[in-house]
């Protein structure tokens, strides 16, 4: 990169030196050589070289750029290229034909139009980023302005050239209109300079300097022509040559330091004023038509030409306004649809926020109610245990046991309420599922002993490690065992089996009613189906569901009056390092609901 930058700087310095040499030649020739064909030819050729140099210095920017920047540099280069083409017309007449340029020259339109692409480039505002829709509208607005400028030239200048030739009127109207165009361009440059910063501010200031030098030199040359002291190659051409050389300096300077695009602005005043100018241009056509009709100082043929021209321009500009309005309608419709969607999404979000606030309030209420319920439940359990320790009849002993059973179940539900209300992110760590099951069975021992239920357990000999929160997983095991004990007691069964195994990289806990299952196997009934999805219900199981979701696990639950209770809990195990790359992510939890009792 450094050698390339060095080469470009050296190349630019040599180019600058060549341009300075051309200017020096023009100055020396104007001071030394008298008015002659040699001076005219030298001046025209050197000026043509300077404009060709300026055009070539701008072309690489258009090649390297993309999108709107490429269009900007293309328009700038096109404006300078038209100026070069007009200078080539002068070479054709003064050097090749060795005659003066005709007073009614057809090439004058090139000189007038060369400023139009420059104004179009400024309308793109490359220093201010904008969305594609705004760029399309502004390009259309400026196309309207371009048509208007061409219309003005054809309306005011062309009639004196082709309809009714008149050299004084032609020169007067051409110079007046060209002056107005140059002033408009300079004013646009000032606005662009004021709205830019950094490298763009320097660029616009340089372009303004070159354009102002050109406008001033043109005015001075016209003044000299009016006094018959101007001739090609005279000192009056030096400011004009300086403006031409300045264009090359702008191209070379920008090549070394590309202006950076500014920060996106939210201001829309530029687009508004450009649209207003387009509308003013369209509404000015009837004014020009009225002027063409009432101006009796011009020949009737010119009045007729101007009226017909205005009618044609009105049709063309009206079509452009219609297209612009259609684009605006489509954009407004898109914005309206987007606003409706945003409003709908906002209403949905507000409803979700309201629901979340309700759930948070319910959680706080549940937490407070659960704390208040713990004390009377503990007293009920204590009294039921005291009753069981006193001499009672068998019927009274069974009723006291049921009181304790339901009190313990209620305490389990209260614990689930607290867990649901205070649910937070789990502290994950390796946990042995066998140890958790043993602890859960021991914690549930008072309940299954009071119900006179036999609990049979079967664990794996090796460690059954899962990744999870030990407290939350212990709560899940205790809750599920308690629910299973309650269901088994409802069916009148007296045997509950709890097994742990590992299959397909998944830890599986089976809790089933062994007595009813064995009875139905004897009768030849099929095993319970755990593959029909149901909706999980019950506060305790809902809390377990939330915990297992965090552990990528699932619950399968079936309760039937003929087959009994069957529960399966699945949790992914911790794989050895060699197997982690080959394992697949566990599926989403499939939740099951106890079927109603018969």
């Amino acid at each position: 990169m450094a050698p390339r930058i060095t080469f470009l700087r050296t190349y630019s310095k040599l180019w600058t030196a060549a341009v300075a040499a051309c200017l020096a030649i023009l100055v020396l020739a104007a001071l030394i050589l008298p008015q002659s064909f040699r001076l005219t030819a030298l001046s025209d050729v050197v000026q043509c070289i300077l404009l060709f140099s300026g055009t070539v210095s701008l072309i690489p920017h258009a090649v390297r750029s993309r999108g709107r920047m490429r269009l900007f540099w293309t328009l700038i280069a096109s404006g300078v290229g038209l100026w070069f083409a007009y200078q080539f017309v002068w070479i054709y007449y003064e050097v090749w034909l060795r005659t003066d340029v005709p007073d009614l020259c057809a090439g004058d339109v090139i000189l007038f139009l060369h400023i139009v692409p420059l104004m179009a480039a400024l309308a793109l505002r490359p220093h201010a980023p904008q969305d594609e829709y705004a760029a399309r509208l502004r390009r259309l607005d400026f196309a309207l302005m371009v048509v208007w400028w061409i219309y003005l030239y054809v309306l005011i200048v062309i009639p004196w050239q082709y309809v009714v030739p008149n050299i004084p009127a032609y020169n007067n109207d051409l110079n007046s209109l060209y002056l107005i165009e140059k002033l408009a361009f300079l004013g646009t440059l000032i606005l662009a300079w004021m709205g830019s910063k950094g490298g763009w501010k320097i660029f616009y200031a340089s372009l303004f300097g070159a354009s102002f030098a050109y406008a001033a030199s043109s005015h001075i040359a016209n003044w000299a022509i009016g006094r018959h002291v101007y001739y090609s190659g005279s000192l009056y051409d030096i400011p004009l040559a300086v403006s031409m050389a300045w264009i090359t300096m702008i191209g070379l300077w920008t090549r070394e330091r590309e202006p950076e695009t500014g920060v996106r602005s939210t201001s829309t005043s530029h687009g508004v004023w450009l649209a207003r100018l387009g509308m003013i241009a369209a509404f000015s056509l009837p004014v020009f038509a009225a002027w063409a009709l009432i101006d009796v100082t011009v020949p009737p043929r010119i009045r007729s030409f101007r009226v017909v021209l205005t009618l044609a321009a009105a049709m063309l500009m009206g079509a452009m306004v219609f297209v612009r309005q259609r684009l605006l309608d489509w954009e407004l419709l898109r914005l309206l649809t987007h606003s409706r969607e945003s409003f709908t999404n906002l209403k949905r979000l507000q409803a979700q926020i309201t629901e979340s606030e309700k759930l948070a309030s319910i959680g706080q209420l549940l937490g407070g109610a659960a704390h208040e319920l713990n004390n009377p439940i503990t007293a009920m359990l204590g009294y039921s245990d005291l009753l069981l320790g006193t001499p009672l009849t068998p019927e009274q002993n069974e009723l006291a046991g049921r009181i304790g059973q339901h009190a313990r179940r209620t305490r389990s539900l209260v614990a689930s309420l607290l867990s649901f209300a205070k649910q937070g992110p789990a502290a994950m760590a390796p946990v042995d599922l066998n140890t958790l099951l043993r602890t859960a069975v021991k914690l549930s021992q008072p309940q299954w002993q009071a119900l006179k239920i036999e609990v049979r357990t079967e664990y794996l000999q090796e460690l059954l490690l899962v990744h999870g929160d030990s407290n939350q997983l212990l709560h899940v095991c205790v809750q599920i065992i308690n629910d299973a004990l309650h269901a088994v007691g409802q069916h009148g069964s007296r045997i509950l089996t709890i097994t742990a195994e590992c299959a397909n990289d998944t830890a599986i806990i089976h809790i089933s009613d062994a007595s009813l299952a064995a009875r139905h196997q004897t009768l030849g009934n099929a095993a319970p189906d755990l593959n029909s999805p149901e909706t999980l219900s019950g506060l305790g199981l809902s809390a377990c569901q939330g915990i297992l979701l965090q552990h990528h696990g699932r619950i399968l639950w079936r309760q039937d009056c003929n087959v009994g209770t069957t529960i399966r809990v699945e949790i992914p195990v911790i794989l050895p390092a060699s197997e982690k790359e080959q394992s697949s992510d566990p599926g989403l939890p499939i939740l099951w609901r106890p079927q109603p009792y018969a």
Side-chain angles (χ1 to χ4, degrees):
M1 181 62 71
R4 182 176 181 273
I5 294 176
T6 303
F7 170 76
L8 289 177
R9 289 179 177 175
T10 304
Y11 183 68
S12 299
K13 290 178 180 178
L14 293 176
W15 198 335
T16 303
V19 171
C22 290
L23 283 177
I25 291 173
L26 282 180
V27 174
L28 289 175
L31 293 174
I32 297 174
L33 297 178
Q35 182 180 0
S36 62
F37 171 74
R38 287 189 304 167
L39 179 61
T40 298
L42 178 64
S43 176
D44 288 345
V45 170
V46 171
Q47 290 183 30
C48 191
I49 291 173
L50 290 175
L51 288 175
F52 178 76
S53 171
T55 304
V56 172
S57 69
L58 294 169
I59 290 177
H61 300 295
V63 175
R64 292 196 304 264
S65 304
R66 294 291 182 271
R68 187 159 53 102
M69 288 296 297
R70 168 172 287 184
L71 180 59
F72 170 79
W73 289 113
T74 301
L75 290 172
I76 293 289
S78 299
V80 180
L82 288 175
W83 191 5
F84 163 72
Y86 179 72
Q87 186 63 31
F88 197 80
V89 171
W90 276 65
I91 289 180
Y92 172 74
Y93 281 106
E94 293 188 338
V95 178
W96 181 259
L97 300 180
R98 296 195 176 191
T99 183
D100 292 335
V101 177
D103 291 323
L104 299 178
C105 180
D108 288 340
V109 66
I110 301 177
L111 182 65
F112 177 83
L113 291 179
H114 94 274
I115 295 181
V116 175
L118 299 177
M119 288 194 289
L122 297 181
L124 292 176
R125 303 184 77 223
H127 60 278
Q130 55 191 255
D131 56 74
E132 183 58 28
Y133 166 73
R136 285 201 307 270
L137 274 187
R138 290 174 182 177
R139 285 196 291 267
L140 190 59
D141 288 333
F142 195 81
L144 197 65
M145 296 298 299
V146 169
V147 172
W148 185 73
W149 279 108
I150 296 175
Y151 161 76
L152 283 182
Y153 184 85
V154 178
L155 178 76
I156 297 175
V157 179
I158 291 297
W160 302 116
Q161 186 175 9
Y162 295 107
V163 181
V164 179
N166 187 324
I167 294 176
Y170 173 82
N171 289 331
N172 179 70
D173 288 352
L174 175 62
N175 292 332
S176 300
L177 184 61
Y178 192 38
L179 178 62
I180 293 173
E181 185 185 33
K182 288 184 289 188
L183 292 177
F185 177 60
L186 291 175
T188 307
L189 270 175
I190 292 175
L191 293 177
W193 175 80
M194 293 176 61
S196 62
K197 56 184 178 181
W200 281 111
K201 207 173 192 68
I202 299 175
F203 171 80
Y204 287 131
S206 302
L207 187 58
F208 176 82
S211 302
F212 183 79
Y214 168 68
S217 64
S218 299
H219 183 72
I220 293 173
N222 288 332
W223 175 85
I225 290 174
R227 284 161 177 74
H228 304 287
V229 296
Y230 173 84
Y231 57 90
S232 296
S234 64
L235 289 175
Y236 294 105
D237 283 345
I238 301 303
L240 181 63
V242 169
S243 66
M244 296 175 180
W246 203 332
I247 297 297
T248 300
M249 298 300 101
I250 292 174
L252 294 177
W253 170 83
T254 310
R255 176 174 297 169
E256 292 188 11
R257 293 181 293 173
E258 188 77 25
E260 295 293 333
T261 298
V263 180
R264 184 177 296 273
S265 174
T266 57
S267 175
T268 58
S269 59
H270 175 266
V272 171
W273 277 107
L274 193 58
R276 289 175 180 173
L277 289 176
M279 295 299 103
I280 292 173
F283 285 117
S284 68
L285 297 181
V287 177
F288 286 112
W291 168 70
L293 288 173
I294 65 176
D295 187 8
V296 295
T297 61
V298 299
R301 292 179 60 189
I302 292 182
R303 290 204 302 270
S304 301
F305 173 81
R306 287 175 172 173
V307 170
V308 174
L309 174 68
T310 303
L311 178 61
M315 293 179 63
L316 177 60
M317 296 178 71
M320 297 176 69
V321 171
F322 175 77
V323 172
R324 186 189 188 281
Q325 189 60 41
R326 291 298 298 172
L327 286 176
L328 185 60
D329 290 342
W330 290 337
E331 180 65 13
L332 291 177
L333 182 61
R334 186 188 67 83
L335 292 176
L336 179 60
T337 304
H338 181 70
S339 300
R340 288 176 177 173
E341 292 176 355
S342 300
F343 182 71
T344 303
N345 293 334
L346 180 61
K347 290 179 64 178
R348 187 181 299 113
L349 180 61
Q350 289 177 339
Q352 292 175 355
I353 292 175
T354 303
E355 190 67 23
S356 299
E357 292 176 349
K358 289 180 180 179
L359 290 176
S361 301
I362 292 173
Q364 294 178 356
L365 179 62
L366 289 177
H371 284 294
E372 294 296 329
L373 290 174
N374 270 331
N375 292 332
I377 292 173
T378 303
M380 292 169 63
L381 283 174
Y383 289 134
S384 65
D385 291 339
L386 287 176
L387 285 175
L388 290 174
T390 58
L392 297 172
T393 64
E395 182 179 356
Q396 292 173 339
N397 192 56
E398 182 179 358
L399 291 176
R402 288 185 177 275
I403 292 174
Q405 172 192 352
H406 288 287
R408 289 183 176 87
R409 178 167 176 77
T410 305
R411 184 173 63 180
S412 177
L413 290 175
V414 170
S416 298
L417 282 172
L418 288 173
S419 177
F420 182 79
K422 298 180 179 180
Q423 200 168 28
M428 299 295 188
V431 179
D432 181 18
L433 202 58
N434 291 327
T435 303
L436 282 181
L437 276 176
R438 291 189 182 96
T439 304
V441 171
K442 186 172 290 293
L443 291 175
S444 303
Q445 184 175 357
Q447 184 171 351
W448 51 265
Q449 285 181 347
L451 295 173
K452 296 182 173 56
I453 295 175
E454 179 184 354
V455 177
R456 299 176 182 177
T457 59
E458 182 179 347
Y459 309 114
L460 290 177
Q461 296 298 325
E462 63 272 12
L463 292 175
L464 190 57
L465 294 178
V466 298
H467 194 66
D469 187 306
S470 58
N471 292 328
Q472 291 187 359
L473 290 178
L474 178 61
H475 171 76
V476 170
C477 293
V478 171
Q479 180 65 48
I480 292 175
I481 291 174
N482 289 338
D483 289 344
L485 289 172
H486 176 73
V488 167
Q490 291 283 347
H491 283 258
S493 304
R494 290 296 176 261
I495 301 175
L496 187 70
T497 61
I498 301 174
T499 62
E501 61 181 3
C502 182
N504 299 325
D505 304 327
T506 302
I508 302 175
I509 302 174
H510 283 287
I511 301 176
S512 60
D513 186 348
S515 58
L516 283 178
R519 186 186 315 163
H520 281 270
Q521 285 178 3
T522 303
L523 295 176
N525 290 345
D529 180 18
L530 296 177
N531 295 319
S532 300
E534 300 285 348
T535 302
L536 186 66
S537 63
L539 181 60
L541 291 180
S542 297
C544 296
Q545 167 194 353
I547 293 173
L548 288 173
L549 280 174
Q550 298 182 24
H551 293 77
H552 305 288
R554 63 177 183 175
I555 303 174
L556 288 81
W557 171 282
R558 175 61 66 106
Q559 194 172 40
D560 191 278
C561 60
N562 296 320
V563 180
T565 300
T566 303
I567 304 174
R568 185 171 71 197
V569 178
E570 298 180 0
I571 305 176
V573 299
I574 298 177
L575 298 177
S578 60
E579 300 180 11
K580 283 184 179 180
E581 297 181 356
Q582 303 177 358
S583 63
S584 59
D585 292 334
L588 292 175
I590 301 177
L591 306 175
W592 306 82
R593 169 182 177 270
Q595 292 191 0
Y597 302 119

